């Protein structure tokens, strides 16, 4: 049962091959049994999930159920859930129970999905390895000595370890795509504004975007249908109709033009990863696509620009965690300043504090123009690069991450090296474009992700391009050997 | 040395919207602590702001009311600092592109002149909560009901030269926001608050001196006192050969002094940057036109109308048009008694003096407009004379409601019967032969002065009821 | 751009984050590394380029002025470390 995709579960439930209670119980058992090894969940919602499953079964029995009723899902612990702890991977919110529901999780509840639990993540989504979580590192199911990627590492590992059929994630600089790549699953970050950010704890507001992490492009399309759409509670959410993302999946790719940006295959990209991507490109050629070299000249600058903009926004977004109205408060503060400094000093982990300090510096008097404004100007150049290229191509392809999963602890002492693992993913966030990662090969038994970048609101095109690849290959069906 | 004060004001006006600027929580005043602070106002994790259309409309109305440039693309920025009454650790405000750009207002000076005061900008922002310092076991209590209430911060140019001018400017702004209906302007409840930047320089000097900012002075009277105190203090500092320090000072109304907040307030670095949760606000030409078309008659239009229709001086027209209620009162009195000049004189004289003395607003006047109008009609049709009118006004102020009954009861009716007055005149002439001789011997210029004596005697003998004009005329006839 | 220990202390104060004495050196070194990477930006000429704050360059939507929220104080204050009489308590604020 845990091998099935969402699309298959929809049929299984409709055909009464199994009930939602059986399905949910099966996943809960797997989590209880196996997650000691991976640490992919922060909270398991056992009792509540089984109750939800019962209700879903009743709905089905009464013939009122929608197609997804009773399908389990896990949510990244960044989405506020009424009544279930939302920690954001931080000591600061270790006991925080939101009095409101995020729009994303609300939409899943309305579609009668079952919330299995909340997945582990880098603290406040700041990290590329899931090692900054207050609740401990997550292990990559392909090799438990390795990281699952981050920040949605718990979601990626849970899907890869078949502890959930799918999970939600968020992506600020690659946090869906990079862990999807490292864990051998499919993940899509839609266009900025496609999915509401209401109730999704902010890291960098102008970059953050939610998306699904799944076993296939088809599942991603199904879940994107659920998650997308206008929300009056988020000023940056776009009021534009949501197409049925499954509709165009089966259309052939003849005539497709793929852009291959030279900058995304430059130094720092593992040669075996590069080889795997080129093999995938051969598949696309066979599917009728044309491949064209393109240039995104400001790619190298997107890394420094991102590491100004994201920390700058974060430094401000995270000021609300002050020990006054909710969250961690230090013991016996001697005055107000002590309350602030120790609550924040003790409640935040090292990486979060580091980014707050960088962001504070970038916005401070005397540095604002040289850092923040400069970064925003580069942001425009990065966006223009993409606009120019999309005049000539339908999608852009590259490796999602420069390497396969690295070892736990390998980059923790060198933040700049850690940041460099986002080099191929962050430009997309700066530009606000949709992009996804699909499994495209194995190097030494570890998954490689192919990144597909599309034009604004071209999610349907991305999913079609990914789905056609998955029809021709079975990389997305590969499972970690350890699971057997 | 002659010193000149240079003053600029920052006025914070709470806009009279029903809900907050970025959330659907109520803005009503006086609720139980924290019962009107929703998840957005509290800055809970994951919540987001959405801008209130009414706050935007009101800010534009104000901008149009001060002839300002409206920035049809304006941007919200975050002002970052930590304070317990600021839940998010930043105030959402406007920095580089405020909704209202450069404008001006014309204010009346005591000299009777009108002075133009520049307004640098006005921007939208959210109010903070309140810290309650009464003792909670040595702790401070935080009430966030006010957090997120829309504010319009109106920044003047340093065009004001005295505390009196500052108050006149403030009163004009107060009048304008109430005309527009964008705020109740209630200073006691904090709907309108004021910070003053004060510096001094030798008269004739053109560069600015070092300024001190006086924070949060919340009545017209205290503004005047605080600025005057601050001017004197700075003069003392400079004349003692010291330098004025650029700093924030707090006005203590009990001691009538400003005090430095130095040491308690460090040099702030607010790290302003565009708010990533809010997009640029666009005001279209159509929006602008519809707001302009919907504006009520503004003080300056009313002023012009009072000058044109009622032939008032610019100064009188300005004073009477400044507050909507005053203007409405005036128009009613002027129309009903059909003598605008008389109405203006009485409102700016007798009525204003009484209101000031008793610290009352025009809306609280014990003499309503129709009653004053009737009194003035009686003065105009010569039923009573000026003295009688004052006596009757006194009775109306004390609560009498029927003008004619008062005139009757107090015997204020003016004697206009020529024969009756002539009899008294004859009597007075007979009683004062010496003065009559002197009068007859005098030249015209002297006579003019001397006639007053006879008028006084006749008025006295008539117990004030004679028509002074008639008395004068008769005396001149009979003495020549 | 050069960054020293006192800069880090200044930033940490602005951000209201306590840093242990023994961590300051290390923090300074790490921040220097990050800023060194960030300084690559200075290599490109961005004269006449408009800063981009939002990826989609859309327009703010306005909400109609309606009270939609109800009193949820008890709910919210369950999350708070310290309250009394409906107020959030903090160490004495000196004005």
């Amino acid at each position: 049962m845990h091998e099935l995709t969402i699309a298959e579960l929809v049929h299984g439930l409709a055909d009464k091959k199994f009930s939602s209670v059986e399905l949910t119980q099966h996943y809960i058992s797997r989590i209880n049994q196996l997650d000691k090894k991976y640490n992919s969940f922060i909270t398991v919602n056992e009792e509540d999930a089984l109750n939800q499953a019962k209700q879903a079964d009743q709905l089905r029995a009464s013939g009122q159920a929608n197609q997804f009723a009773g399908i389990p899902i896990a949510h990244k612990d960044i989405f506020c859930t009424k009544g279930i702890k939302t920690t954001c991977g931080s000591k600061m919110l270790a006991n925080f129970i939101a009095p409101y529901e995020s729009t994303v999780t609300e939409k899943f509840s309305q579609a009668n999905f079952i919330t299995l639990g909340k997945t582990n993540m880098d603290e406040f989504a700041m990290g590329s390895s899931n090692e900054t979580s207050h609740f401990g590192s997550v292990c990559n199911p392909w090799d438990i000595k390795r990281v699952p990627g981050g920040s949605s590492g718990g979601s990626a590992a849970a899907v890869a370890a078949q502890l959930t059929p799918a999970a939600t994630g968020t992506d600020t600089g690659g946090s869906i795509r990079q862990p999807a790549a490292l864990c051998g699953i499919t993940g899509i970050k839609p266009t900025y504004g496609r999915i509401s950010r209401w109730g999704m704890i902010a890291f960098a507001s102008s970059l953050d975007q939610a998306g699904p992490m799944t076993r296939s492009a088809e599942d991603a399309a199904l879940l994107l249908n659920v998650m997308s759409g206008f929300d009056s509670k988020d000023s940056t959410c776009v009021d534009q109709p949501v197409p049925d993302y499954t509709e165009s999946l089966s259309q052939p790719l003849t005539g497709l033009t793929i852009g291959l940006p030279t900058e995304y295959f430059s130094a720092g990209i593992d040669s075996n990863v590069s080889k795997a991507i080129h093999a995938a490109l051969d598949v696309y050629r066979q599917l009728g696509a044309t491949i064209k070299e393109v240039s995104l000249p400001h790619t190298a600058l997107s890394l420094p620009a991102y590491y100004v903009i994201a920390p700058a926004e974060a430094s401000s977004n995270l000021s609300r965690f002050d020990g006054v109205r909710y969250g961690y408060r230090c013991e016996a503060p001697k005055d107000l300043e002590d309350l602030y400094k120790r609550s924040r000093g003790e409640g935040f982990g090292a990486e979060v504090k580091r980014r707050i300090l960088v962001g504070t510096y970038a916005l401070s008097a005397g540095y604002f123009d040289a850092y923040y404004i400069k970064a925003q100007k580069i942001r425009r150049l990065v966006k223009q690069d993409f606009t120019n290229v999309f005049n000539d191509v339908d999608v852009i392809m590259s490796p999602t991450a420069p390497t396969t999963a690295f070892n736990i602890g390998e980059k923790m002492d060198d933040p700049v090296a850690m940041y460099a693992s986002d080099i191929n993913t962050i430009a997309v966030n700066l530009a606000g474009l949709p992009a996804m990662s699909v499994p495209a090969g194995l190097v030494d038994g570890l998954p490689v992700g192919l990144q597909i970048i599309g034009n604004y609101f071209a999610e349907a095109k991305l999913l079609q391009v990914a789905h056609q690849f998955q029809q021709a290959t079975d990389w997305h069906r590969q499972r970690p050997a350890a699971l057997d | 040395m002659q010193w000149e004060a240079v003053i600029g004001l920052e006025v914070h006006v709470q806009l009279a919207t029903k809900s907050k600027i970025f959330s659907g929580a109520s803005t009503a005043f006086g609720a139980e602590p924290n019962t009107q602070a929703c998840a957005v106002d509290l800055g809970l994790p994951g919540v987001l702001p959405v801008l209130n259309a009414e706050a935007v409309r009101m800010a534009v109305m104000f901008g149009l009311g001060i002839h300002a440039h409206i920035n049809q693309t304006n941007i919200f920025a975050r002002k970052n600092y930590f304070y317990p009454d600021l839940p998010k650790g930043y105030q959402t405000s406007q920095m580089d592109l405020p909704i209202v750009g450069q404008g001006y207002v014309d204010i009346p000076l005591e000299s009777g002149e009108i002075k133009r005061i520049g307004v640098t900008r006005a921007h939208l922002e959210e109010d903070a909560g309140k810290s309650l310092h009464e003792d909670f076991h040595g702790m401070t209590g935080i009430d966030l009901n006010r957090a997120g209430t829309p504010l319009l911060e109106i920044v003047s140019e340093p065009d004001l030269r005295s505390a009196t001018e500052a108050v006149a400017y403030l009163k004009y702004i107060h009048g304008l926001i109430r005309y527009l209906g964008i705020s109740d302007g209630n200073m006691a409840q904090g709907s309108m608050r004021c910070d003053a930047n004060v510096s001094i320089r030798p008269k004739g000097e053109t560069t600015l001196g070092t300024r001190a900012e006086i924070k949060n002075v919340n009545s017209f009277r205290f503004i005047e006192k605080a600025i005057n105190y601050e001017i004197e203090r700075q003069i003392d500092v400079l004349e003692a050969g010291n330098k004025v320090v650029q700093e924030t000072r707090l006005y203590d109304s009990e001691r009538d002094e400003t005090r430095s907040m130095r040491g308690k307030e460090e040099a702030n670095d607010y790290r302003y940057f565009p708010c990533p949760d809010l997009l640029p606000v666009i005001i279209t030409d159509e929006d602008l036109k519809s707001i302009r078309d919907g504006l009520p008659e503004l003080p300056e239009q009313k002023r012009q109308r009072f000058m044109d229709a009622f032939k008032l001086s610019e100064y009188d027209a300005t004073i009477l048009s400044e507050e909507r209620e005053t203007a409405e009162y005036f128009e009613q009195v002027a129309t009903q008694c059909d003598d605008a000049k008389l109405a203006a004189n009485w409102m700016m004289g007798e009525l204003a003096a009484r209101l000031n003395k008793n610290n009352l607003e025009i809306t609280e006047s014990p003499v309503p407009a129709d009653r004053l109008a009737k009194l003035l009609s009686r003065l105009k049709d010569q039923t009573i004379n000026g003295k009688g009118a004052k006596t009757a006004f006194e009775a109306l102020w004390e609560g009498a409601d029927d003008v004619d009954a008062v005139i009757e009861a107090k015997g204020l009716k003016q004697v206009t019967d020529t024969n009756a007055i002539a009899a008294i005149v004859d009597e007075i002439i007979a009683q004062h032969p010496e003065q009559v001789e002197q009068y007859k011997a005098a030249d015209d210029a002297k006579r003019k002065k001397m006639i007053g004596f006879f008028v006084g005697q006749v008025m006295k003998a008539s117990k004030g009821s004679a028509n002074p004009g008639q008395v004068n005329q008769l005396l001149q006839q009979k003495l020549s | 751009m050069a960054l020293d220990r006192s800069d880090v202390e200044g930033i940490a104060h602005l951000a209201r984050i306590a840093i242990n004495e023994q961590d300051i050196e290390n923090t300074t070194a790490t921040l220097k590394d990050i800023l060194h990477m960030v300084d690559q930006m200075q290599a490109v000429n961005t004269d006449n380029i408009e800063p981009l704050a939002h990826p989609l360059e859309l327009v703010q939507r306005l909400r109609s002025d309606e009270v939609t929220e109800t009193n949820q104080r008890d709910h919210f204050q369950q999350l708070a470390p310290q309250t009394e009489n409906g107020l959030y308590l903090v160490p004495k604020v000196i004005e």
Side-chain angles (χ1 to χ4, degrees), chain B residues 172-224:
Chain B
Y172 187 88
I173 297 290
H174 185 259
L176 179 62
I177 58 176
R178 285 155 43 86
Y179 260 91
L180 293 168
I182 62 172
S183 175
D184 64 15
N186 188 328
M187 293 182 87
Q189 289 181 0
S191 307
M192 179 164 154
R193 314 195 285 270
C194 182
D195 302 337
N197 288 305
V198 179
S199 66
I200 60 165
R201 63 185 175 193
K203 216 175 173 94
E205 179 66 65
T206 50
T207 53
L208 292 171
T210 308
R211 68 189 162 87
E213 183 178 11
I214 315 170
K215 278 272 180 209
N216 251 330
V217 205
N218 296 330
S219 81
F220 293 122
R221 203 157 57 90
F222 290 155
I223 275 286
E224 185 156 15

Side-chain angles (χ1 to χ4, degrees), chain B residues 28-44:
Chain B
F29 181 81
E32 283 291 301
N34 291 309
T35 55
Q36 288 178 176
C38 72
V40 172
D41 308 324
L42 293 174
L44 285 167

Side-chain angles (χ1 to χ4, degrees), chain B residues 17-21 23-24 33-35 39 42 44 50-54 82-83 132-133 136-143 266 271 275-276 278-280 282, chain C residues 13-16 53-54 58-73 76-77 79 82 84-95:
Chain B
T17 54
K18 294 196 277 291
S19 65
K20 299 206 173 155
I21 184 165
S23 82
N34 291 309
T35 55
L42 293 174
L44 285 167
V50 184
L51 182 59
N52 186 333
E54 191 62 3
F82 285 87
Y83 205 75
L132 304 173
H133 300 293
F136 295 98
H137 344 285
M139 301 193 85
T140 293
I142 308 295
D143 174 10
E266 58 203 285
R271 289 158 284 138
C275 179
L278 292 163
L279 300 165
I282 305 294
Chain C
H13 174 67
L14 266 184
R16 296 297 187 278
H54 288 99
L58 297 173
V59 169
Q60 179 62 36
R61 195 174 53 249
L62 302 180
R63 176 177 65 78
S64 68
D65 182 25
E66 281 159 25
V67 175
T68 53
E69 299 298 319
T70 52
N71 174 20
Q72 290 200 65
R73 183 175 77 183
F76 293 143
Q77 294 203 338
L79 303 167
Q82 202 178 357
E84 191 174 310
N85 297 338
L87 297 162
Y88 294 96
L89 293 193
V90 297
K92 192 122 196 114
V93 176
I94 305 143
E95 289 247 320

Side-chain angles (χ1 to χ4, degrees), chain A residues 312-324:
Chain A
E313 292 185 12
S315 72
S316 177
N317 282 336
L318 270 61
S319 290
R320 66 189 61 202
F321 302 101
D322 60 3
V324 176

